[in-house]
Amino acid sequence: MGYLTNDEFFTKLTELFDQRKGKDHGSIILVQKRLSHDQPLPEATSDTIFPDLHPPKPMPVLIKATNARGKERRQDKIKLRTVVEPDSLPAFFEKYAEVCKSGMTTLKPRDRSKRKGKAKKKKGAAGAP
């Protein structure tokens, strides 16, 4: 699978969030990482132990999103990837934040009341002599 353009990525990410609307369970995983596989890096010296922390020029960023399907439902898994060039990062992240905020309002929060109740019971039982 290749990389999507930034606009295609936003369209598909919105669709991914919309698919989750009203469902009981599931996850959407968002990942951002520096794309450095084609970038030459200077050698490590005693002054710069980690030369990759200060690259000679800004590096592009790889943005990924997936609906986190397991092995048993791998055919339903959706993977989205795009590369953002350093000069377009501020505009990209502005729109990315908008899409994520609007998409996350449609997600249903987890019901953690059962887990909290069990934790209180264990804590109370452990404290009893």
Side-chain angles (χ1 to χ4, degrees):
M1 182 180 135
Y3 299 118
L4 301 171
T5 66
N6 293 345
D7 291 332
E8 290 172 334
F9 179 80
F10 289 130
T11 304
K12 300 245 186 213
L13 184 60
T14 303
E15 291 172 7
L16 187 63
F17 278 119
D18 288 344
Q19 287 176 357
R20 286 286 314 121
K21 197 182 291 187
K23 293 190 179 175
D24 289 349
H25 61 282
S27 300
I28 294 175
I29 298 175
L30 304 170
V31 177
Q32 307 167 30
K33 55 196 322 190
R34 184 174 67 176
L35 188 64
S36 60
H37 61 82
D38 290 335
Q39 303 290 330
L41 295 175
E43 294 296 320
T45 63
S46 59
D47 294 339
T48 57
I49 297 172
F50 300 108
D52 60 334
L53 294 179
H54 305 288
K57 63 179 184 172
M59 294 185 184
V61 177
L62 175 66
I63 309 288
K64 299 190 297 186
T66 182
N67 61 349
R69 297 286 183 207
K71 289 182 182 177
E72 63 278 354
R73 294 191 349 207
R74 191 162 297 201
Q75 69 275 9
D76 299 334
K77 190 168 189 171
I78 297 171
K79 293 181 180 182
L80 309 174
R81 303 184 315 170
T82 189
V83 175
V84 184
E85 294 302 322
D87 55 338
S88 60
L89 278 173
F92 177 86
F93 277 116
E94 194 172 303
K95 186 159 183 182
Y96 185 62
E98 276 180 35
V99 170
C100 289
K101 283 179 188 176
S102 65
M104 288 183 189
T105 58
T106 63
L107 295 179
K108 181 180 173 185
R110 284 187 176 175
D111 181 20
R112 298 180 186 264
S113 59
K114 291 179 185 176
R115 193 180 311 171
K116 286 182 182 178
K118 287 180 182 179
K120 285 182 181 179
K121 278 186 180 179
K122 285 182 183 178
K123 192 174 186 180

